[in-house]
Amino acid sequence: MEPSFYEFRKIEDAKGNLVAVEGLRDIPFEIKRVYYIFAVTEGARRGFHAHRELQQLLICVHGSCKVLLDDGLTKTVVTLTDPCRGLFVEKMIWREMFDFSPDAVLLVLASEHYNEEDYIRNYNEFLRVCGNKGDLID
Ligand code: TYD
């Protein structure tokens, strides 16, 4: 699958840098929730789920990390290092985040409030629900 990125304008002056991201203007959804992941334990892998409806934009605002995206047919891995670039993660995409640098801060903009019922945390259930023919894990 092809990852989808959004590029944001860096407003740069003698005082430093600023990036603004507006829902429905710079990204394709209204922002209902913001969270950030930081001080990730060395070697830890996060995520391991898909969402039924939630859309998200992932911006590594400091440091770096990798994101595996899986639509049930193909997988791709992207490296996030640029605070001016956001990775769009559509609904029904399995994601895993890993290789966080010790200083990484991963900012996530989300289209919905937190709802545990929107999560699919079982990979085989994800494959069944998304209808793609990936490899079922025994
Ligand atoms: P989870 O989404 O499983 O984290 P990751 O995918 O990065 O491994 O969430 C971890 C915990 O945080 C889980 O107990 C749910 C809670 N949580 C909230 O309370 N609100 C939120 O907006 C998010 C994303 C998680």
Side-chain angles (χ1 to χ4, degrees), residues 1 8 16-17 19 21 38 41 59 69 75 85 92 95 98 110 113 124-125 127 136:
M1 58 166 295
F8 308 117
N17 300 327
V19 173
V21 181
F38 60 100
T41 307
I59 309 169
L69 300 174
K75 303 179 204 310
R85 183 171 227 227
M92 291 309 297
R95 85 287 310 273
F98 58 103
H113 296 134
N124 289 345
E125 184 190 354
L127 292 180
L136 285 171

Side-chain angles (χ1 to χ4, degrees), residues 33-35 37 45-49 51 54 56 95 97 100 108 110 112-116 119 121:
R33 177 166 51 111
V34 174
Y35 63 93
I37 295 168
R45 219 172 158 99
R46 305 190 61 116
F48 295 95
H49 62 257
H51 286 282
L54 187 72
Q56 293 182 311
R95 85 287 310 273
M97 291 87 81
F100 286 83
V108 182
E112 304 296 337
H113 296 134
Y114 177 72
N115 174 14
E116 185 59 35
Y119 280 72
R121 294 188 184 274

Side-chain angles (χ1 to χ4, degrees), residues 21-40:
V21 181
E22 296 193 29
L24 291 178
R25 290 188 172 173
D26 300 305
I27 61 173
F29 56 83
E30 209 172 320
I31 300 164
K32 286 201 184 157
R33 177 166 51 111
V34 174
Y35 63 93
Y36 39 95
I37 295 168
F38 60 100
V40 173

Side-chain angles (χ1 to χ4, degrees), residues 4 13 22-23 37 41-42 50 54 60 65-66 68 70 72 79-80 82 86 91-92 94 96-97 108 111 114 118 138:
S4 167
D13 63 23
E22 296 193 29
I37 295 168
T41 307
E42 192 184 347
L54 187 72
C60 195
C65 69
K66 291 183 180 159
L68 175 146
D70 177 353
T79 303
L80 300 181
D82 183 353
K91 63 182 177 180
M92 291 309 297
W94 186 266
E96 296 170 22
M97 291 87 81
V108 182
S111 65
Y114 177 72
D118 189 64
D138 292 332

